């Protein structure tokens, strides 16, 4: 192995171990920044020792031992400094007394939920969703700051500052770094799931010409979702979100045409859907349902995605089931966009008249004003009902509202067909 | 990136000798680690090649050949499908695998082709042809 290869191998080991390493260290030193510094120290130690001595049998344990030793050394040094300060007449903080014993006890602590606790910390609701996402990618995903910046189409300084601020806020809050229990758990879990889905969607929004790091956010979110599912095997919404991400990701290769334009779901080449991810998504959905979570917001969205995934051809789509799922989704996640999709589902399940009946009520809704999908859907219902002149006006309106040139062209094409 | 990780056959695996309880336990733990790390998508063990068949192609002719097959070291005894960041990560995880066989053995890592790999050869026209064919297949 060349020196560069060894170096690369060590960094790979470090990346694999990083989340667990930081998780264990946070428990010990109760500070995310310090834990990260100690982990970096351990990496430096590995880079100097492993090329000579070889990679240890259990590299994770080696890194953790080095980092913990440094932590304890640091605390000893602090204590000695404090003692010296005391000697020269300064008061020793009484709350600090016994700190060293606490640390020694924590050293033997074999609690397995350290990683889970770190995930909950990084996704703490006191932080903005953007800060949570950046911190999660850094601490759990092991991404470098510049990678996160590129992934979020931002610059390195902004992201670095966001992470530093987030860590400071966590430090000030005096967190217990425990996995939340009871009533708090539900709210905190929602915050974790929100972040994973935000990261996933950021990747999903990437387009053909983008830096490859952006689409990789999808697999990053899926990976963390799978890790979370392993850590919380009884939480239905964790499986609901995992199912949703796996099934959506199964269409990544099919959702853009060779020229980069988006391909709508019904037009996609289903042979390009990733059957392995679909299978995994359906299994996760089954698990969510078996745990009694069929009515969860993520599980319902996953069930919707699953209806499409199960249909080998667009004509085989179970629109009646989709319509029923939207009925349930608007109860747990009320939104005009859900209502609009529900109208489309009804038009497919029953007929264009059913769609028209539902969409009329949505036309006055503020949140949908200027939203191209509304006239586009209405145009489609009118077209299918044979009311071509009215349909044409709707398609033209949709085209005027769309800021995406390809989408605009698509609506204008549909408008032109109404003249034939 | 997605990789296929193949456990190569040995004389023992070809003879159908089942793994020991210790190995099964170690493999179980390893598989659990892979799942917990979120990288394992699928995986299975294969029966010896004596239970397998080959179909040889030459022009229009098709000849069925019964197993077992001779070149043991080239045969596959089991596989995983992993989703990893890069080859270095796949190598690191393979190194952590318990020796899957009682004697010396080998594990091979092969990246799965992705659409981007065809970028040069796959002109829009070829892609469309490709799509049409596979679409018909999927619809059957």
């Amino acid at each position: 192995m060349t020196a560069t290869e060894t170096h690369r191998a060590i960094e790979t080991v470090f990346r694999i171990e990083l989340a667990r390493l930081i998780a264990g260290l946070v428990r010990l030193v109760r500070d995310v920044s310090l834990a990260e510094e100690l982990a970096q120290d351990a990496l430096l130690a590995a880079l100097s020792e492993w090329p000579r001595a070889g990679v240890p049998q259990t590299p994770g344990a080696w890194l953790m031992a080095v980092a913990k030793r440094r932590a304890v050394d640091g605390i000893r040094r602090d204590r000695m400094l404090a003692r010296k300060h005391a000697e020269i007449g300064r008061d020793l903080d009484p709350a600090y007394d016994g700190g060293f014993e606490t640390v020694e006890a924590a050293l033997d602590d074999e609690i397995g939920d350290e990683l889970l606790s770190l995930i909950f910390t990084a996704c703490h609701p006191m932080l903005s969703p953007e800060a949570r996402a950046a911190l999660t990618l850094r601490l759990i995903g092991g991404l470098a700051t510049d990678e996160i910046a590129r992934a979020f189409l931002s610059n390195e300084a902004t992201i670095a500052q966001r992470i530093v601020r987030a860590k400071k806020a966590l430090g000030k809050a005096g967190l217990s770094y425990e996995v939340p229990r009871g009533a708090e758990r539900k709210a905190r879990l929602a915050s974790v799931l929100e972040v994973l889905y935000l990261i996933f969607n950021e990747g999903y929004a990437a387009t053909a010409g983008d830096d490859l790091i952006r689409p990789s956010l999808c697999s990053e979110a899926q990976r963390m979702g799978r890790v979370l599912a392993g850590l919380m095997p009884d939480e239905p919404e964790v499986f609901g979100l995992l199912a949703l991400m796996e099934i959506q990701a199964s269409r990544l290769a099919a959702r853009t045409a060779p020229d980069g334009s988006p391909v709508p779901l019904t037009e996609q080449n289903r042979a390009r859907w990733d059957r392995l991810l679909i299978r995994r998504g359906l299994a996760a959905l089954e698990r969510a349902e078996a745990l009694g979570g069929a009515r969860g917001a993520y599980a319902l969205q996953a069930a919707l995605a699953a209806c499409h995934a199960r249909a080998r051809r667009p004509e085989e789509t179970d629109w009646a089931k989709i319509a029923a799922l939207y009925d349930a989704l608007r109860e747990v996640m009320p939104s005009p966009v859900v209502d609009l999709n529900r109208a489309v589902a009804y038009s497919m399940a029953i007929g264009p008249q059913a769609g028209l009946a539902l969409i009329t009520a949505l036309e006055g809704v503020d949140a949908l004003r200027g939203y191209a999908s509304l006239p586009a859907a209405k145009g489609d219902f009118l077209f299918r009902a044979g009311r071509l002149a009215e349909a044409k006006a709707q398609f033209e309106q949709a085209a005027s509202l769309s800021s995406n040139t390809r989408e605009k062209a698509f609506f204008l094409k549909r408008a032109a067909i109404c003249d034939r | 990136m997605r990789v296929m990780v193949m456990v190569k056959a040995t004389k023992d695996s070809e003879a159908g000798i089942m793994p020991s309880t210790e190995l099964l336990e170690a493999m179980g733990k390893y598989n659990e680690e892979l799942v917990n790390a979120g990288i394992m998508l699928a995986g299975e063990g294969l029966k010896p090649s004596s239970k397998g068949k080959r179909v040889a192609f030459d022009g229009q002719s098709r000849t069925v050949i019964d197993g077992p097959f001779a070149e043991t070291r080239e045969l596959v005894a089991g596989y995983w499908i992993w989703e990893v960041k890069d080859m270095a990560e796949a190598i690191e995880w393979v190194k952590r695998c318990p020796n899957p066989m009682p004697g010396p053995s080998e594990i091979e890592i092969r990246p799965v082709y992705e659409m981007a790999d065809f970028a040069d050869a796959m002109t829009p026209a070829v892609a469309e042809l490709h799509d049409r064919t596979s679409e018909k297949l999927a619809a059957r």
Side-chain angles (χ1 to χ4, degrees):
Chain A
M1 229 191 238
T2 68
T4 350
E5 276 170 344
T6 314
H7 202 101
R8 182 114 193 271
I10 294 170
E11 285 188 336
T12 303
V13 171
F14 184 70
R15 203 176 57 199
I16 292 175
E17 301 296 341
L18 184 66
R20 282 189 185 277
L21 195 56
I22 292 180
L25 291 167
V26 166
R27 266 290 167 81
L28 184 65
V29 301
R30 311 258 145 194
D31 182 277
V32 176
S33 302
L34 181 56
E36 247 196 312
E37 273 170 40
L38 290 165
Q40 290 296 334
D41 284 351
L43 170 64
L44 290 179
L47 285 170
S48 82
E49 286 188 35
W50 293 1
R52 273 192 298 107
V55 178
Q57 278 288 310
T58 46
W62 190 98
L63 290 166
M64 185 63 95
V66 168
K68 281 188 173 173
R69 207 180 307 134
R70 303 251 161 142
V72 172
D73 286 350
I75 291 163
R76 278 210 189 98
R77 199 166 48 238
D78 286 353
R79 252 190 9 152
M80 238 142 67
L81 278 176
R83 220 179 261 148
K84 276 189 186 139
H85 286 166
E87 279 164 15
I88 56 169
R90 275 190 59 179
D91 285 333
L92 194 63
D93 181 359
Y96 194 80
D97 217 31
F100 186 62
E101 283 68 29
T102 318
V103 165
E104 296 231 274
L107 271 176
D108 302 322
D109 207 354
E110 285 295 330
I111 298 171
D113 56 13
E114 290 168 340
L115 182 59
L116 193 53
S117 141
L118 181 65
I119 295 173
F120 272 102
T121 301
C123 296
H124 200 289
M126 74 159 83
L127 307 170
S128 72
E130 294 75 23
R132 277 182 251 160
L135 199 58
T136 301
L137 285 169
R138 177 98 193 86
L139 299 178
I140 319 295
L143 265 68
T145 309
D146 72 303
E147 289 178 312
I148 301 171
R150 273 158 53 207
F152 282 96
L153 304 175
S154 183
N155 64 64
E156 204 176 330
T158 309
I159 296 292
Q161 199 182 32
R162 191 175 288 166
I163 291 175
V164 167
R165 278 200 194 137
K167 287 194 284 200
K168 268 194 194 144
L170 290 174
K172 268 194 202 147
L175 301 176
S176 65
Y177 297 106
E178 303 288 339
V179 177
R181 312 260 165 229
E184 203 201 343
R185 187 183 175 100
K186 207 175 166 190
R188 295 279 304 274
L189 179 60
S191 174
V192 172
L193 300 180
E194 182 192 359
V195 171
L196 291 192
Y197 199 39
L198 185 150
I199 293 171
F200 181 86
N201 277 323
E202 195 65 30
Y204 206 75
T207 47
D210 276 341
D211 190 335
L212 281 176
I213 191 102
R214 268 173 69 66
S216 79
L217 284 179
C218 286
S219 30
E220 202 60 59
Q222 284 165 264
R223 184 204 284 243
M224 291 192 285
R226 293 179 201 131
V227 170
L228 194 62
L231 293 169
M232 306 184 93
D234 298 317
E235 285 290 347
E237 275 294 77
V238 171
F239 287 90
L241 173 62
L242 180 58
L244 177 59
M245 294 194 293
E246 303 274 41
I247 299 176
Q248 281 189 334
S250 76
R251 301 183 199 132
L252 278 169
R255 73 191 174 132
T256 38
D259 66 351
S261 59
V263 182
L265 193 58
T266 47
E267 307 290 314
Q268 286 175 14
N269 173 9
R270 296 181 181 220
R272 280 215 188 149
W273 288 359
D274 189 328
R275 310 302 315 176
L276 180 55
L277 289 184
I278 289 176
R279 213 167 68 210
R280 294 186 53 89
L282 294 178
L285 178 57
E286 228 169 74
R287 173 97 187 138
E289 289 168 349
L291 289 168
R295 298 283 119 173
Y298 290 114
L300 282 168
Q301 292 174 78
L304 282 162
C307 283
H308 295 292
R310 285 196 191 99
R312 292 270 170 169
R313 282 183 297 193
E315 310 85 86
E316 290 169 17
T317 311
D318 188 348
W319 287 105
K321 185 169 180 192
I322 291 177
L325 286 168
Y326 274 119
D327 286 346
L329 185 60
R330 71 194 293 266
E331 299 292 323
V332 294
M333 205 179 88
S335 132
V337 176
V338 169
D339 284 341
L340 179 58
N341 287 326
R342 179 167 163 260
V344 174
Y346 269 78
S347 87
M348 297 302 285
I350 302 167
Q353 296 302 342
L356 283 169
L358 287 173
I359 209 166
T360 315
L362 294 172
E363 282 175 305
V365 176
D366 271 350
L368 293 178
R369 194 153 292 150
Y371 190 54
S373 300
L374 180 73
K378 190 174 184 186
D380 182 64
F381 302 162
L382 289 165
F383 182 84
R384 282 156 55 207
R387 292 155 65 178
L388 298 185
E390 291 163 89
K392 185 180 182 209
Q394 293 294 328
F395 286 133
E396 280 168 348
Q397 199 197 337
S400 75
L401 289 173
S402 174
S403 53
N404 179 319
T405 40
R406 289 197 188 99
E407 195 180 68
K408 209 184 255 294
F410 175 75
F411 293 141
L412 288 174
K413 200 166 105 191
R414 289 211 69 180
I417 293 171
C418 294
D419 285 334
R420 281 185 204 160
Chain B
M1 74 188 279
R2 195 170 284 185
V3 292
M4 181 179 243
V5 179
M6 293 173 282
V7 176
K8 295 309 205 46
T10 62
K11 252 191 253 161
D12 287 332
S13 73
E14 277 296 279
I17 295 171
M18 297 306 278
S20 65
T21 314
E22 290 74 31
L23 180 55
L24 278 178
E25 199 190 328
M27 267 298 174
K29 267 181 83 178
Y30 178 64
N31 274 318
E32 200 180 353
E33 265 182 68
L34 293 174
V35 170
N36 287 344
I39 63 167
M40 178 172 153
L41 300 185
E44 247 126 6
L46 305 183
K47 290 185 177 177
S49 73
S50 55
K51 312 264 183 204
K53 304 274 183 198
R54 278 181 180 172
V55 180
F57 289 69
D58 189 0
Q60 291 304 308
S61 96
R62 309 283 185 266
T63 314
V64 178
I65 307 158
D66 293 331
F69 308 118
E71 54 291 355
T72 305
R73 274 171 55 91
E74 299 308 315
L75 300 174
V76 177
Y79 74 92
W80 287 282
I81 303 284
W82 294 350
E83 184 74 40
V84 288
K85 287 190 186 175
D86 48 30
M87 193 48 117
E89 191 184 357
I91 294 171
E92 181 50 36
W93 278 105
V94 168
K95 281 187 186 165
R96 294 176 182 206
C97 183
N99 184 347
M101 301 289 171
S105 68
E106 214 168 61
I107 292 183
E108 184 174 322
I109 312 166
R110 300 274 294 273
V112 174
Y113 269 122
E114 281 158 52
M115 263 343 257
D117 296 316
F118 296 109
D120 290 338
M122 195 65 91
T123 63
V126 177
E128 211 189 303
L129 174 76
H130 203 81
D131 275 11
R132 254 198 332 262
T133 330
S134 47
E135 201 161 1
K136 277 184 198 153
L137 280 171
R140 274 187 192 160

